Amino acid sequence: MFLTPLIALVLAAVPTLGQLDSTTAATTLPGTWSSGSMAVRTGAGFAHPANESFTYPKTTGISYSFTSDGFYEIARYRFVSNGTVPQCVTGVINWAHGTYVLQSNGSITMVPFGDGYQQIQDPCAAQSNFIENYNDTELYELWQIFLDPVTGYKLHLFQFDGSPLAPQFQVSATPNMLPTQSLRNVSGSAPATTAAVTTRDLLATSGGQRRWSVSGTIGVVTVVFGAGLATLLL
Ligand SMILES: *[C@@H]1O[C@H](CO)[C@@H](O)[C@H](O)[C@H]1NC(C)=O
Ligand SMILES: *[C@@H]1O[C@H](CO)[C@@H](O)[C@H](O)[C@H]1NC(C)=O
Ligand SMILES: *[C@@H]1O[C@H](CO)[C@@H](O)[C@H](O)[C@H]1NC(C)=O
Ligand SMILES: *[C@@H]1O[C@H](CO)[C@@H](O)[C@H](O)[C@H]1NC(C)=O
């Protein structure tokens, strides 16, 4: 298994947790997982595909759900800072679902149904607040589940480049997901329609969370999200 120094660092940082063997972990993966304060959750309270809108969580985070028969759903609400232009904080709220495969080399591939979408707010861009289709196949190079004696099961996902996502707590062993099928019509590669959808000011809602700065942050990981390389502040 290919381990980047970053992964090794993360693993070294959690020596008191019991890591499950892969068979046990695979049977434990199904359910709903959520990072941080667990305000972001997959399922009916987050994305409304029929009108391409979102119910905005109180705080940022990520949530993944998996069924035992191969379906997944992802809900993400994040602020991404541009290392080159630190004042250009971008807000991204993203939803996708589809089918996943646990690969024999320990990775997970997630192939979306094609009805995913996201809202991006970038005050420094020409188009500063818009909704677009999101249909990226995602590869997670490594995943691990730890049993924390205090907080229970914790899912660690590592992206295709080895960078870790924020650890996610198990919200429930039963996945809370929208129906596992395409939930809106997407015509070809045309941009998602924005008709009748009120896009909220994502950044204005960040409130106290804008204290983040590139230099003073502890949990900084580099992620590739959509088309761009950016820095995710945990
Ligand atoms: C693991 O398998 C997946 C799916 O076949 C592949 O895309 C990925 O590159 C493989 N990873 C490594 C490190 O070989
Ligand atoms: C989404 O991506 C998949 C896999 O690349 C592709 O087969 C499918 O046609 C895409 N769907 C849409 C609506 O673009
Ligand atoms: C979109 O649909 C959801 C769920 O039916 C509803 O709660 C929400 O008000 C709708 N939003 C817009 C902007 O129409
Ligand atoms: C950061 O901002 C610069 C200048 O606007 C831009 O060229 C670059 O693509 C941005 N990087 C990311 C990751 O958005």
Side-chain angles (χ1 to χ4, degrees):
M1 183 63 64
F2 168 75
L3 287 181
T4 68
L6 195 49
I7 294 178
L9 190 68
V10 167
L11 296 183
V14 286
T16 59
L17 306 183
Q19 185 188 347
L20 305 182
D21 64 58
S22 59
T23 308
T24 313
T27 59
T28 309
L29 185 65
T32 292
W33 304 83
S34 178
S35 70
S37 60
M38 299 194 279
V40 176
R41 309 255 178 120
T42 59
F46 183 79
H48 312 292
N51 61 17
E52 284 171 43
S53 73
F54 293 97
T55 298
Y56 301 91
K58 284 194 175 62
T59 55
T60 55
I62 57 173
S63 175
Y64 285 66
S65 282
F66 302 92
T67 69
S68 52
D69 60 348
F71 296 100
Y72 77 94
E73 181 177 331
I74 304 175
R76 294 179 270 224
Y77 179 30
R78 311 192 282 193
F79 298 115
V80 180
S81 91
N82 181 328
T84 316
V85 192
Q87 66 272 27
C88 294
V89 174
T90 302
V92 180
I93 188 164
N94 165 287
W95 172 82
H97 67 169
T99 56
Y100 74 92
V101 174
L102 300 180
Q103 305 290 354
S104 54
N105 65 8
S107 67
I108 310 182
T109 44
M110 302 187 197
V111 180
F113 290 131
D115 57 346
Y117 59 99
Q118 63 187 6
Q119 179 188 347
I120 296 181
Q121 187 180 6
D122 178 357
C124 301
Q127 196 187 357
S128 63
N129 196 353
F130 60 96
I131 293 178
E132 64 180 2
N133 290 332
Y134 178 85
N135 186 30
D136 288 5
T137 293
E138 300 185 30
L139 169 68
Y140 293 85
E141 202 54 68
L142 179 66
W143 60 283
Q144 294 172 323
I145 292 172
F146 294 90
L147 183 54
D148 182 310
V150 176
T151 56
Y153 290 121
K154 220 171 178 186
L155 173 63
H156 291 243
L157 286 174
F158 297 88
Q159 300 183 100
F160 69 95
D161 61 354
S163 62
L165 294 183
Q168 296 175 70
F169 304 101
Q170 191 180 50
V171 173
S172 62
T174 310
N176 181 17
M177 300 164 69
L178 292 174
T180 53
Q181 63 192 54
S182 181
L183 297 175
R184 68 186 179 100
N185 290 324
V186 182
S187 48
S189 59
T193 76
T194 51
V197 176
T198 319
T199 58
R200 184 162 104 165
D201 184 347
L202 291 176
L203 298 173
T205 67
S206 68
Q209 297 179 44
R210 295 187 78 169
R211 64 190 145 79
W212 286 327
S213 68
V214 173
S215 54
T217 308
I218 297 168
V220 177
V221 269
T222 300
V223 298
V224 172
F225 187 80
L229 178 68
T231 300
L232 168 66
L233 305 177
L234 297 174

Coordinates of all heavy atoms in Angstrom, one line a residue, residues 10-11 14-20 25 28 33 143-149 151-156 158 167-168:
V10 N -1.0 11.0 9.9 CA -2.4 10.9 10.4 C -2.5 9.6 11.2 O -3.1 9.5 12.3 CB -3.4 10.9 9.3 CG1 -4.8 10.5 9.8 CG2 -3.5 12.4 8.7
L11 N -2.0 8.5 10.7 CA -2.1 7.2 11.3 C -1.3 7.2 12.7 O -1.8 6.7 13.7 CB -1.5 6.1 10.4 CG -2.3 5.9 9.1 CD1 -1.8 4.7 8.4 CD2 -3.8 5.7 9.4
V14 N -3.2 8.7 15.7 CA -4.4 8.1 16.4 C -4.0 6.7 16.9 O -4.8 5.7 16.6 CB -5.5 8.0 15.4 CG1 -6.1 9.4 15.2 CG2 -5.1 7.4 14.0
P15 N -3.0 6.6 17.7 CA -2.5 5.2 18.1 C -3.5 4.6 19.1 O -3.5 3.4 19.3 CB -1.2 5.5 18.8 CG -1.3 6.9 19.2 CD -2.2 7.6 18.3
T16 N -4.3 5.3 19.8 CA -5.2 4.7 20.8 C -6.5 4.1 20.2 O -7.2 3.5 20.9 CB -5.6 5.8 21.8 OG1 -6.3 6.8 21.1 CG2 -4.4 6.4 22.5
L17 N -6.7 4.3 18.9 CA -7.9 3.8 18.3 C -7.7 2.5 17.8 O -6.6 2.2 17.2 CB -8.4 4.8 17.2 CG -8.6 6.2 17.7 CD1 -9.2 7.0 16.5 CD2 -9.5 6.3 18.9
G18 N -8.7 1.6 17.8 CA -8.5 0.3 17.3 C -9.0 0.3 15.8 O -10.1 0.7 15.5
Q19 N -8.1 0.0 14.9 CA -8.4 0.0 13.5 C -9.0 -1.4 13.2 O -8.5 -2.4 13.6 CB -7.2 0.2 12.7 CG -7.5 0.3 11.2 CD -6.2 0.3 10.3 OE1 -5.1 0.5 10.8 NE2 -6.4 0.1 9.0
L20 N -10.1 -1.4 12.4 CA -10.8 -2.6 12.1 C -10.1 -3.3 10.9 O -9.5 -2.6 10.0 CB -12.2 -2.3 11.7 CG -13.1 -1.6 12.7 CD1 -14.5 -1.4 12.2 CD2 -13.1 -2.3 14.0
A25 N -14.3 -3.8 8.6 CA -14.5 -2.4 8.1 C -15.6 -2.4 7.0 O -16.4 -1.6 7.0 CB -13.2 -1.8 7.7
T28 N -18.9 -2.5 8.2 CA -19.2 -1.4 9.0 C -19.4 -0.1 8.2 O -20.0 0.8 8.7 CB -18.0 -1.1 10.1 OG1 -17.8 -2.4 10.7 CG2 -18.4 -0.1 11.1
W33 N -22.2 8.9 7.6 CA -21.0 9.5 8.3 C -21.0 11.0 8.2 O -21.4 11.5 7.1 CB -19.7 8.9 7.7 CG -19.7 7.4 7.7 CD1 -20.3 6.5 6.8 CD2 -19.1 6.5 8.7 NE1 -20.1 5.2 7.1 CE2 -19.3 5.2 8.3 CE3 -18.3 6.8 9.8 CZ2 -18.8 4.1 9.0 CZ3 -17.9 5.7 10.6 CH2 -18.1 4.4 10.2
W143 N -9.2 3.8 2.6 CA -10.2 4.1 3.6 C -10.0 3.2 4.8 O -9.5 2.1 4.7 CB -11.6 4.0 3.1 CG -12.0 2.6 2.6 CD1 -11.6 2.0 1.5 CD2 -12.7 1.6 3.3 NE1 -12.0 0.7 1.4 CE2 -12.7 0.4 2.5 CE3 -13.4 1.6 4.6 CZ2 -13.4 -0.7 2.9 CZ3 -14.0 0.5 5.0 CH2 -14.1 -0.7 4.1
Q144 N -10.3 3.8 6.0 CA -10.1 3.0 7.2 C -11.2 3.4 8.2 O -11.6 4.6 8.2 CB -8.7 3.4 7.8 CG -7.6 2.9 6.9 CD -6.2 3.4 7.4 OE1 -6.1 4.5 7.9 NE2 -5.2 2.5 7.3
I145 N -11.5 2.5 9.0 CA -12.5 2.7 10.0 C -11.8 2.4 11.4 O -11.2 1.3 11.5 CB -13.8 1.9 9.9 CG1 -14.5 2.4 8.6 CG2 -14.7 2.1 11.1 CD1 -15.7 1.6 8.2
F146 N -11.9 3.4 12.3 CA -11.3 3.2 13.6 C -12.5 3.1 14.6 O -13.5 3.7 14.4 CB -10.4 4.3 14.0 CG -9.2 4.4 13.1 CD1 -9.2 5.1 12.0 CD2 -8.0 3.7 13.5 CE1 -8.0 5.2 11.2 CE2 -6.9 3.8 12.7 CZ -6.9 4.5 11.5
L147 N -12.3 2.3 15.7 CA -13.2 2.3 16.7 C -12.7 3.2 17.9 O -11.7 2.8 18.5 CB -13.5 0.9 17.2 CG -14.6 0.8 18.3 CD1 -15.9 1.5 17.8 CD2 -14.9 -0.7 18.5
D148 N -13.3 4.3 18.1 CA -12.8 5.2 19.1 C -13.7 4.9 20.4 O -14.9 4.9 20.3 CB -13.1 6.7 18.7 CG -12.6 7.7 19.7 OD1 -13.0 7.5 20.9 OD2 -11.9 8.6 19.3
P149 N -13.0 4.6 21.5 CA -13.8 4.2 22.7 C -14.8 5.3 23.1 O -15.8 4.9 23.8 CB -12.7 4.0 23.7 CG -11.4 4.5 23.2 CD -11.6 4.6 21.7
T151 N -16.0 8.1 20.9 CA -17.0 8.6 19.9 C -17.5 7.5 19.0 O -18.3 7.8 18.1 CB -16.3 9.7 19.1 OG1 -15.1 9.2 18.5 CG2 -16.0 11.0 19.9
G152 N -17.0 6.3 19.1 CA -17.5 5.2 18.3 C -16.8 5.1 17.0 O -15.6 5.5 16.9
Y153 N -17.4 4.6 15.9 CA -16.8 4.4 14.7 C -16.4 5.7 14.0 O -17.2 6.7 14.0 CB -17.6 3.6 13.7 CG -17.7 2.1 14.2 CD1 -19.0 1.6 14.5 CD2 -16.6 1.3 14.3 CE1 -19.1 0.3 14.9 CE2 -16.7 0.0 14.7 CZ -18.0 -0.5 15.0 OH -18.1 -1.8 15.4
K154 N -15.3 5.7 13.4 CA -14.8 6.9 12.7 C -14.2 6.5 11.3 O -13.4 5.6 11.3 CB -13.7 7.5 13.6 CG -13.6 9.0 13.7 CD -12.6 9.3 14.7 CE -12.4 10.8 15.0 NZ -11.3 10.9 15.9
L155 N -14.7 7.2 10.3 CA -14.3 6.8 8.9 C -13.2 7.8 8.5 O -13.4 9.0 8.5 CB -15.5 6.9 8.0 CG -15.2 6.7 6.5 CD1 -14.6 5.3 6.2 CD2 -16.5 6.9 5.7
H156 N -12.1 7.3 8.0 CA -11.0 8.1 7.4 C -10.9 7.8 5.9 O -10.7 6.6 5.5 CB -9.7 7.8 8.0 CG -9.6 8.2 9.5 ND1 -8.7 9.2 9.9 CD2 -10.3 7.9 10.6 CE1 -8.8 9.4 11.2 NE2 -9.8 8.6 11.6
F158 N -9.1 8.8 2.2 CA -8.0 9.4 1.6 C -8.2 9.6 0.1 O -8.6 8.6 -0.5 CB -6.7 8.6 1.9 CG -6.4 8.6 3.4 CD1 -6.9 7.5 4.1 CD2 -5.6 9.5 4.0 CE1 -6.7 7.5 5.5 CE2 -5.3 9.4 5.3 CZ -5.8 8.4 6.1
P167 N -11.9 13.4 9.3 CA -12.5 12.2 9.8 C -14.0 12.4 10.0 O -14.5 13.4 10.4 CB -11.8 11.9 11.1 CG -10.8 13.0 11.3 CD -11.0 14.0 10.2
Q168 N -14.8 11.3 9.7 CA -16.2 11.4 9.9 C -16.7 10.4 10.9 O -16.3 9.2 11.0 CB -16.9 11.1 8.5 CG -16.6 12.1 7.5 CD -17.2 11.7 6.1 OE1 -18.4 11.7 5.9 NE2 -16.3 11.3 5.2

